[in-house]
Amino acid sequence: MQTHDVVVIGAGPAGLRCAAELAGRGREVVVLEADDRVGGRQRTDRVDGFTLDRGFHVLNTAYPAVRASVDVDGLAVRSFPAAVRVRRANGSWATIGHPLRHANLLPATLASGLVTPRDVVALLRWLGPIVVRPRAAVTRTDQSVGEGWNAAGLTGSLRTELLSPFFSGVLADASESTSDTYVRLLARSFLPAAAGLPREGIGALPRALASRARTAGADIRVGRAVSRLRRRENRWEVRALGEGRLLARDVVVAVGAEALDVLVDVRAPATRGLQTWWFATEQPPASALLTVDGTRDGPIVNSLAISAAVPQSAPPGRHLIQATCLWTPERVANEREVRAQLSHVWGRASTTWELLRRDDIPHALPALPPPMRRRSPARIGDGLHVAGDHRETPSIQGALLSGMRAAKSVLASPVRD
């Protein structure tokens, strides 16, 4: 039987950030991870020489919690273009670019037909308050993003063909029912962002977090699925595969939303699913921009040539393309309909692309309906704490913030004999 100061269950970003902070403050910390590696949903595999994340990930390097947690320069993040290519309902194509980062795309943006004076005014009405006075905007009454767009008068093709399908891929929500406050905060974070992927895939982030935690003194053990958690006198008893019985003064449960109620008496939050298809080709894709299908005539919500921004993701002479769909138990896309839509998005050449892998991720993100949750308490019992993006916002930023808050909760607890 082993006795520790703290046992952290789960080695995703939240658990690793928590462990690093606690170990750095002198606590003796053991992290138990059920999988064979750290990362949780942020994981990367090598398949036939390609670097495949589990699902399509984007790392926003403007997130304050990311910069506070790891050496961003050490991740070697390759930025995606701050522009999108839109397949319009009328059959035409439009390009919309960030006016400051892609000034050369301004003529194409203005000629796209999506940026009408009425929609621009409505967009500024919706986004402006949270850019100018973010704290005041966050405290106002929340509603769904669909209601927020309606209230701002954002009802034209900019919404229906770009904003709605774009955010449906970001949030795994096509119903426009996510918190308007959160979506506006998310949109605000995109303005200065250099969003992209580490050269070695999204898995580089949790590896960097784990390295920091180990350097601070945390003991990270993988392949250690926890089967039981119970209170015994003034300690927590943790039973895990390959470990037998561990005792700890404090336990931090940092598992995904879908697994939360297996270990603690907290209702599992609702989650939303995504599905990503990974394709390989020897022919360079037609565009390096994120493609959004505003026609919605198929399951794909976005597609991107990853290797255009991250050449290391594909072997020399080959290219890597992802196509992401929404996933629900009632609606799972199949290869036939995905390839049919790809032929419209990328042209007939896509019919010869090699399918490398399909990732079905039923619990890709926790749902965040209005009102946007105020911070859920990290401490839920005597010596028991919870961390994860389901306690903050459905993002890497939310996961890291939650991990830090859980660590502070542990440090604020009285030390028990």
Side-chain angles (χ1 to χ4, degrees):
M1 181 174 61
Q2 308 168 45
T3 301
H4 307 281
D5 290 341
V6 186
V7 169
V8 177
I9 303 173
L16 293 171
R17 182 68 182 89
C18 178
E21 181 65 20
L22 290 173
R25 297 289 294 273
R27 297 297 174 95
E28 189 260 327
V29 183
V30 171
V31 181
L32 303 177
E33 168 56 47
D35 209 340
D36 61 354
R37 72 186 89 170
V38 301
R41 297 194 302 272
Q42 280 75 46
R43 62 177 294 164
T44 303
D45 302 308
R46 294 289 292 178
V47 177
D48 297 336
F50 292 87
T51 301
L52 305 187
D53 293 334
R54 186 172 182 264
F56 175 43
H57 290 266
V58 176
L59 179 60
N60 187 337
T61 57
Y63 280 152
V66 172
R67 293 193 167 275
S69 301
V70 296
D71 174 14
V72 172
D73 291 339
L75 296 177
V77 175
R78 303 297 189 256
S79 297
F80 297 138
V84 294
R85 186 175 70 121
V86 183
R87 182 186 175 214
R88 299 202 58 194
N90 62 10
S92 66
W93 285 90
T95 299
I96 306 292
H98 192 304
L100 298 181
R101 293 184 58 192
H102 296 290
N104 62 311
L105 293 179
L106 185 58
T109 299
L110 295 175
S112 67
L114 290 174
V115 187
T116 65
R118 178 179 177 179
D119 274 351
V120 169
V121 171
L123 182 64
L124 292 174
R125 189 181 297 122
W126 175 69
L127 190 56
I130 211 156
V131 173
V132 177
R133 299 181 63 195
R135 291 190 178 181
V138 167
T139 59
R140 76 179 190 180
T141 302
D142 198 7
Q143 57 193 331
S144 72
V145 66
E147 292 169 330
W149 285 336
N150 288 339
L154 193 53
T155 57
S157 55
L158 181 63
R159 168 184 173 174
T160 59
E161 297 180 37
L162 174 56
L163 293 178
S164 186
F166 172 79
F167 280 109
S168 71
V170 174
L171 304 164
D173 173 24
S175 66
E176 300 183 357
S177 61
T178 298
S179 158
D180 180 56
T181 298
Y182 175 61
V183 179
R184 288 186 300 125
L185 285 169
L186 195 59
R188 177 177 177 268
S189 75
F190 291 151
L191 296 178
L197 274 176
R199 181 178 56 201
E200 297 179 0
I202 196 63
L205 174 64
R207 288 197 297 272
L209 292 167
S211 177
R212 178 176 176 178
R214 290 189 176 104
T215 299
D219 181 3
I220 302 174
R221 306 174 187 177
V222 298
R224 298 293 189 266
V226 173
S227 58
R228 188 173 183 179
L229 177 62
R230 66 174 178 174
R231 187 74 173 167
R232 292 179 64 88
E233 298 178 357
N234 62 342
R235 294 285 192 277
W236 283 98
E237 178 184 285
V238 183
R239 290 189 177 271
L241 180 68
E243 293 290 344
R245 188 161 66 107
L246 292 79
L247 296 180
R249 295 188 181 95
D250 289 272
V251 169
V252 178
V253 179
V255 299
E258 72 282 1
L260 192 60
D261 60 358
V262 176
L263 294 175
V264 294
D265 187 20
V266 173
R267 186 168 65 178
T271 58
R272 301 188 185 278
L274 290 168
Q275 178 194 71
T276 299
W277 301 72
W278 297 98
F279 294 94
T281 176
E282 296 179 359
Q283 298 298 319
S287 175
L289 305 184
L290 179 74
T291 296
V292 174
D293 196 338
T295 70
R296 308 194 188 198
D297 66 353
I300 298 173
V301 291
N302 64 60
S303 185
L304 179 67
I306 300 292
S307 53
V310 191
Q312 299 84 357
S313 65
R318 305 198 74 189
H319 305 273
L320 177 66
I321 300 97
Q322 70 82 19
T324 293
C325 311
L326 302 184
W327 184 101
T328 68
E330 301 79 24
R331 183 70 178 88
V332 180
N334 60 56
E335 185 176 353
R336 177 190 57 77
E337 55 189 344
V338 166
R339 285 192 180 273
Q341 191 176 1
L342 283 175
S343 68
H344 295 298
V345 171
W346 291 103
R348 292 182 58 83
S350 64
T351 60
T352 64
W353 290 355
E354 175 190 357
L355 176 61
L356 296 170
R357 191 173 76 180
R358 162 185 148 184
D359 291 328
D360 288 354
I361 311 168
H363 307 288
L365 293 168
L368 184 54
M372 189 172 80
R373 289 187 291 267
R374 297 295 177 257
R375 292 177 175 176
S376 302
R379 184 177 183 273
I380 62 170
D382 189 12
L384 184 61
H385 317 263
V386 177
D389 58 358
H390 47 83
R391 307 296 283 183
E392 286 274 350
T393 57
S395 63
I396 292 173
Q397 166 79 3
L400 293 173
L401 278 178
S402 178
M404 187 64 187
R405 287 183 55 239
K408 290 180 178 179
S409 177
V410 172
L411 293 169
S413 302
V415 176
R416 297 169 296 277
D417 294 333

